[in-house]
Structures are given as structure tokens and as C-alpha cells.
Amino acid sequence: MNSTIAVAGATGDLGERIVKFLVERGADVRALVRASSNSAKINELERMGVQVVKLSAWTVNELTEACRGVSCVVSALSGLRETVIDTQKVLLDAAVAAGVPRFIPSDYSIDFTKLPAGRNRNLDLRREFHAYLDKAPIAATTIFNGAFADMITGQMPIILFKLHRVMVWGNADQRMDFTTKDDTAAFTASAALDSSTPRFLRIAGDQLSIRELTGVVSEVTGEKYNILRPGGLGALSTVITIARFVAPGGDDIYPAWQGMQYMRDMLDGRAKAATVDNDRYPNIHWHTIKDVLTGFVANGKPV
């Protein structure tokens, strides 16, 4: 079987992790990067044995040549419309033109297939790209991993360490999906090398509610944490509207209100995976929220 995998976004955080796991799995990796990309990142990829293809322009013709002979194109591109829609469309069109059989889009998110459109900007961009992707003559596989578990210790405003509170809007018993970046990358690498993947794969290193999370953080820190519930999901929607008006964020991929939209959709319940595909690749060791918090506490960072 051809095990040459092309990765777009290989100089980014998740993309670099995917490349690492592909190399560990014996794949021949071709990183598609812009000539202007960070030279230190490019050097690191080359030290890993990756073939780096520097593109002077992100055009279908140039990318088609770069994609010839690969079995799967993995996108780990991160951005807003210009990237998620425009740049990925060019990449997809090139993959089709080069005869690549499979494509993994840059989703890596909660499962938005049951959520209504128009309530989460970043998910709406992925939904819009899906409409284009599903018409293309290529086998596509989306990976839904919930939220990145690594963000629970900072970027995700749930655990308020200084206040010894865990915040929830709505139902404190609604379970949510969390997966670390490394576990997501490891699963993506395995999926890229698997010619039989379905349209959607759902994974979760952990599934727990805010109430359960409160118990975990109390256990790991040795301090008593309590739940803080400012209001229901309707109240959170109002806060989102105000935050978006006051601090729109410009070209920021994750302004505060976007994080709130994501949290609302996780607590809504419809985005939670009913079943997960974790066992599809048994060589992956899944990390829990407790694992993440234990590592965080070991580094002396929570208080």
C-alpha cells in the first residue's frame, strides 16, 4: 500500500504533531509549506526525515504537482474564511487533479452535524467547506475530537484556579468530549494510513460533565473546588452577543466570544458523540482530563 501522506499546515501546532506520528508509523511524509514559512519549523521537519515541498504560490497547478503520488492529503490548516474555505478549496482541487484517493479536512472539533447553522462562526466555516468537499470526487474523512483537553488548564475558561471554582452554564451534568492534541494527532495519522475510513470518525480521550470535572480537579489539586453557575445557556448567548459587540476580535481565530460559542455548543448536548471510534486503532493510549490536570499540577502551575 502507498504510504506517502501529504500534510498541509505541517508547521503549525497540530500539523507538526500529526507529522511526528506519521513518521513514527513509518509513513513517507510530504509537508506542503509556503516558501515564506518559519525556517526553523522547516528545518525541524527535515530533521524528522520529512520531504518539505516549498510552494511559492498556493495555486491548484503548483499543489497538483506537489500532491502527485500520495495516498492521502491531510489538512491541518488553521484560520478563518481565507484559510478554512479559500485555501482548503485550492488544496482539495489540487488533490482531486492529482488523483489522490483520500482527503482529511481540517475540522478537529466538536461534532457539529446536529447543531444548527449560524450560531458558531468557526464551525459554520467548516460546515460551509463540507458542502464543497462532499461534491468532490474524493473519499473524505472528518475527525471529530470534541475540545482539545490541553486547553482545560488555560485557554478554555472553565476551571478558575484562583477562585477554586469550575464554571458551567446550564446543566452541570451534561457530559462533553475532550481529546488531547497528541491523541488527536496520533489518531489522525493512523486514519491517514487507513484506506477504509468512513466519512466521519469520532473520538474522545475523556467524556465527563462539569460536576465530574469538579471532582477530578479537587482530587488532583488536593483543594476543594465548587461549581459556579452564572446562568443558563440563554444567558450565555446574551453574554456572547454583548462580548462580540464590545470586542469583535478582528482576524483573531479565537476571540473570547468564539470560545463562549464553543462552550455553549458543548454544553448544549447535541455535539456530544453518542459512540466513539477510539478502538479503531488499538495502539493509541488515550489521555484523560485527569492526566492533563495531573501533569499541570506537577509543573506547579494551578495556583
Side-chain angles (χ1 to χ4, degrees), residues 38 50 60 258:
N38 185 303
V50 173
V60 171
Q258 172 61 62

Side-chain angles (χ1 to χ4, degrees), residues 210-220 225:
I210 291 297
R211 194 177 309 280
E212 291 168 326
L213 173 60
T214 303
V216 171
V217 71
S218 296
E219 176 188 351
V220 171
Y225 278 69

Side-chain angles (χ1 to χ4, degrees), residues 58-213:
W58 198 269
T59 64
V60 171
N61 288 340
E62 191 176 21
L63 278 164
T64 298
E65 293 306 311
C67 290
R68 290 199 188 282
V70 307
S71 59
C72 181
V73 169
V74 177
S75 174
L77 298 169
S78 179
L80 298 179
R81 172 168 293 276
E82 182 180 353
T83 302
V84 175
I85 305 296
D86 301 337
T87 302
Q88 273 204 124
K89 279 185 176 181
V90 175
L91 178 64
L92 174 62
D93 290 347
V96 171
V100 178
R102 301 176 57 245
F103 187 93
I104 297 178
S106 186
D107 290 323
Y108 315 113
S109 65
I110 59 174
D111 182 355
F112 53 80
T113 57
K114 296 179 182 178
L115 292 171
R119 55 186 269 147
N120 187 310
R121 180 197 61 184
N122 289 12
L123 297 183
D124 282 344
L125 291 174
R126 285 160 172 76
R127 184 182 284 108
E128 183 178 338
F129 181 70
H130 278 203
Y132 187 82
L133 173 60
D134 288 339
K135 295 177 182 178
I138 194 169
T141 295
T142 280
I143 294 170
F144 289 130
N145 57 271
F148 286 128
D150 319 64
M151 299 173 67
I152 197 77
T153 56
Q155 293 169 282
M156 194 181 299
I158 297 180
I159 304 175
L160 310 177
F161 289 104
K162 292 183 179 180
L163 299 177
H164 286 67
R165 296 290 186 274
V166 182
M167 186 163 61
V168 64
W169 298 82
N171 183 5
D173 294 307
Q174 173 59 55
R175 284 191 153 196
M176 300 172 286
D177 300 327
F178 298 92
T179 313
T180 64
K181 293 179 182 178
D182 270 348
D183 289 351
T184 301
F187 189 89
T188 301
S190 293
L193 292 165
D194 177 1
S195 61
S196 63
T197 52
R199 178 65 184 87
F200 298 107
L201 286 169
R202 296 168 175 89
I203 57 176
D206 205 353
Q207 295 178 309
L208 76 174
S209 68
I210 291 297
R211 194 177 309 280
E212 291 168 326
L213 173 60

Side-chain angles (χ1 to χ4, degrees), residues 6-77:
V7 180
T11 58
D13 184 12
L14 183 62
E16 188 174 7
R17 294 170 194 253
I18 292 171
V19 168
K20 180 189 74 172
F21 284 106
L22 281 168
V23 170
E24 286 184 3
R25 284 155 173 70
D28 295 320
V29 183
R30 193 177 300 173
L32 311 178
V33 306
R34 295 184 185 272
S36 58
S37 295
N38 185 303
S39 58
K41 293 281 190 179
I42 291 176
N43 291 339
E44 178 60 28
L45 290 170
E46 290 176 336
R47 280 194 292 270
M48 293 168 62
V50 173
Q51 177 191 359
V52 178
V53 180
K54 299 179 183 178
L55 303 161
S56 58
W58 198 269
T59 64
V60 171
N61 288 340
E62 191 176 21
L63 278 164
T64 298
E65 293 306 311
C67 290
R68 290 199 188 282
V70 307
S71 59
C72 181
V73 169
V74 177
S75 174
L77 298 169

